[in-house]
Every structure is written in structure tokens, then in C-alpha cells.
Amino acid sequence: MKTYKIITLGASGAGKTVFMASMFKALSIQGTHGFYLEVEDHNKRKLLNSIYTQVIKGDSWPQGTKYSEVSEWTFTCRVKTPSLDDYPACQFTYFDYAGGRLTDVDEDEEFEGLVKQADAILGLLDGQKIHAWMTGSNELAADSFLNKDLPSILKLMLSCKVPIHFALSKWDLLENEFSLNQVLDRLCEIPKFEQLVRDRNKAGSPVRLIPVSSVGLSFVTPAPDGSMKKISGAIPRPFQVEVPLACVLPDHLTAWLNQVSQKREQLETKDKDPKQPNIITMLLNWAEPVINTATEIGTKNLNLEGESSDPDTLNETIAKKLVSNLIKFAFQNIKKAADERAKLTREQINESLKNVKDEETALTHAIENFLYIQHTLSQTYPQSEIIL
Ligand SMILES: Nc1nc2c(ncn2[C@@H]2O[C@H](COP(=O)(O)OP(=O)(O)OP(=O)(O)O)[C@@H](O)[C@H]2O)c(=O)[nH]1
Ligand SMILES: [Mg+2]
């Protein structure tokens, strides 16, 4: 089973640990998401649950992560069928650490090693500091975001090629005053941010800005000293905490498909249109020669292989499985069917749950759900995939 490693990059207080606990809580039962997460290590599961309890109960918050502590949280993504059979699909390992290690230390080899191993990077931008910057209400907080936190995140992101996601944390503090577009416009005024996005766009590697709130709207009010006061009797409604995880695999695959097609075409032009097609169109373009034959004589020409530890072979296997699924969906008019597929309703995806019978079909089903979550994000926030 493939494990996707994700490192969260965020300054102290950005909300990394609270986010992790809230994401686990939201995804720990299958519910409407079509998959669920399990933390196999009993002690870690207890710890994560107790962090979430501290978030939603009492007046205090979980303590900041200790400097020496690098927590590794491994989540197994599993799918439960209507007959209650249960299959693992893939794993996600998140690394959490004290944010000071990112901003206050010049060289941290252990930390840089983690970044180099990652399959995706999740940069947590502190919504509270962004609010201070956008409103001009707290120069110190804005200055720390612009001159310390963001440059440290961008520096590490520039050192690797994997897909990057920015989670805009504490969205509950911004939501009523600013649109995502307004925040994005301000961020794009920062030359290094803009450059990073342009480089990624050129390479065909997705960059996303995803608003999230680990507690949801009207659960806290900011006190004058900057701390968060929980509102008595308020109910937590975590917002989009499942989205960054759901984007990892589709974006990883998108970046890989782009690399393959760029290699294949040996692109010479530098001014290629940076607007990348969506993952489904790319899958179909990538597989076009096979599809032409396959649509005539059946899907067997896709030659689905077993799993391998080689990342290229593994990506190829996943891509083929998805394409084969698309073909099964409609033999005729395949491109139209693919567009329809991207608009699948939750009910239709739930139908596909009936086909889950082993690890392989569980992974396909999980990816369909990831694509559904990603599609919903792009409907709600079309600007969340940053394309300049
Ligand atoms: N309004 C609001 N506040 C939040 C949210 N998530 C976290 N916070 C606040 O931010 C504080 C810091 O969150 P943590 O998750 O501990 O931050 P961290 O990034 O892990 O910080 P370090 O461990 O020091 O690196 C919390 O104690 C809350 O007061 C959120 O979704 N909305
Ligand atoms: Mg922490």
C-alpha cells in the first residue's frame, strides 16, 4: 500500500496541531466522505482525540508543540462497503513539529530532510496574522507573517518539486470580511509568492489556496490580547478540514502526468499556456492511444498491472485504473462521459461503493471521492487553484 508523506509548514501558532486533530475527527467515520481515516497506533489515536477534546471543551487550548517533538501521524485511508467489509486504500503520514523550527532556525538538517522526503507540502498560513495584515490592525503580527513566516515557508517550498497546498487557517476570522480572491490578490503582490506560483504553473504542478477552519464560524472570538476565547454554548463546525488531504493524491497524479507528457513531447516552447486541463482530461490525453483501441475492443488492452514499489510504475497503475474506470463508465463518447464523471453526484459515487471488493477497488473508490471533494472545492472557490 502506498504511503503519501505530507509535511505541514507553518509558524508557531498557525494552527497545525489543532488542524490535524480536527481533520482526524472529521474523517474518522466514513459518513458522507465515502472513506475514513484510521490511526492504527492506539496511543497516538488517543492523543489526537484528546487534543480535539481540548479544542472544543473548556476554556484552554492544547499546548504548543515542544521544540524537540516531531510527531508523525500515520492515517490509513479505508473504505467500508455496504456489507460492512472494510479495505485499506492508501496511507497518509503527516509530520507536525514546533513552528519555531521553521522560522527561528537557519539550518535544521532533520527538518530539511523531512521536507525532501515529502510527497506533498501543506503550508499553513495563519489566518489571524493575515487578518491583521489585510485590516492593518496589528502591525507586529502582519510584519511577522510577511517578513518571517511566509519567507520561511516559501524558501522550503522552492527547494522541492512536489505539489504544494496553502491552507488558509482560521478562515472563521476572515470569512465575513474578505473573499478568498481578495486574500489571493494581496498574496500575489508578494514577488516571491507570485514567482513560486508561476514556476509551478509552468511545470504543471498544482498550487492551491484552501480556506479551512478547525472550529468553524462563531465558535471563538478573538480577545484583545490575540488569544481565542471560546463562545459559551457554541457548536464547532470544522470547515473544509478534509480538503487538503483529499487534494494530495489527485494533485500528485496531475504533477506526474504533466511530467510524463512534458517528457514525451520534449517541449521546447517556453511560453506554453500555463492553464492546465483538469486531471480527468489529462488522464484521457495521456491514455489516448490506448483508449482508441480499448474503446473498440474492450478495456483489456489497458493491461492493468499489479502494484510496484517504483513510483513511476505505481503512478501509472493508478492512472490506468482510473482511466479504465472512466472507460467502463461509458464506452462511446468517452470525453463527454469524463466531463460527466467530474460532475458525479454524491449518490452516484455511493453507488460505486458497491464495487469495492479489495484494496485495489478501495483505492479507486477513495480517489473518486477525493476528486469529488476537489471538484466541490473548485465549485465553491474557483480561485482556489492558483493559476497566474
Ligand atoms: N479562530 C481560530 N483559531 C484557531 C483555529 N485553529 C487554531 N486556532 C488558535 O490558534 C492556536 C494555535 O494553534 P496550534 O494548532 O496549537 O498551532 P501550531 O501551529 O501547532 O503551533 P506550534 O505547535 O507552536 O508550532 C490555538 O490555541 C487556537 O487559539 C481556528 O480554526 N480558528
Ligand atoms: Mg503544534
Side-chain angles (χ1 to χ4, degrees), residues 158-200:
L158 279 165
S159 72
C160 50
K161 290 185 179 158
V162 294
I164 48 184
H165 301 140
F166 291 100
L168 182 45
S169 75
K170 311 180 191 177
W171 180 241
D172 51 293
L173 303 178
L174 287 150
E175 188 175 5
N176 286 336
E177 285 175 69
F178 298 102
S179 68
L180 191 65
N181 242 351
Q182 285 173 309
V183 179
L184 184 60
D185 284 350
R186 289 299 299 273
L187 284 169
C188 288
E189 286 169 13
I190 300 168
K192 283 219 164 112
F193 182 89
E194 194 211 357
Q195 192 55 48
L196 176 80
V197 175
R198 283 197 194 282
D199 289 351
R200 292 306 180 116

Side-chain angles (χ1 to χ4, degrees), residues 11-18 61 64-65 97-99 170 172-173 213-215 220 228:
S12 180
K16 301 180 293 297
T17 306
V18 169
W61 291 88
T65 307
Y97 55 88
K170 311 180 191 177
D172 51 293
L173 303 178
S213 170
S214 300
V215 291
V220 296
M228 294 295 151

Side-chain angles (χ1 to χ4, degrees), residues 26 61 71 80 84 87 147 185 190 219 227 268 318 324 330 336 370 376 383:
W61 291 88
S71 313
K80 201 177 269 176
L84 301 183
Y87 302 100
N147 296 320
D185 284 350
I190 300 168
F219 186 74
S227 66
E268 290 137 29
I318 296 173
S324 120
K336 189 164 160 265
F370 297 156
T376 309
Q383 44 313 70

Side-chain angles (χ1 to χ4, degrees), residues 1-6 8 16-17 19-28 35-41 44-45 48-49 71-78 88-96 241 245 370:
M1 188 174 25
K2 168 77 178 159
T3 300
Y4 294 90
K5 291 185 184 152
I6 299 133
T8 47
K16 301 180 293 297
T17 306
F19 170 75
M20 202 77 63
S22 184
M23 174 188 79
F24 177 58
K25 184 68 188 174
L27 291 175
S28 58
F35 64 91
Y36 72 98
L37 298 183
E38 181 184 67
V39 173
E40 277 162 30
D41 183 325
K44 288 196 170 175
R45 188 170 62 238
L48 218 42
N49 282 329
S71 313
E72 199 176 317
W73 306 102
T74 298
F75 302 103
T76 306
C77 171
R78 305 185 68 97
C90 58
Q91 285 185 321
F92 297 95
T93 297
Y94 278 83
F95 296 95
D96 185 25
V241 286
L245 175 133
F370 297 156

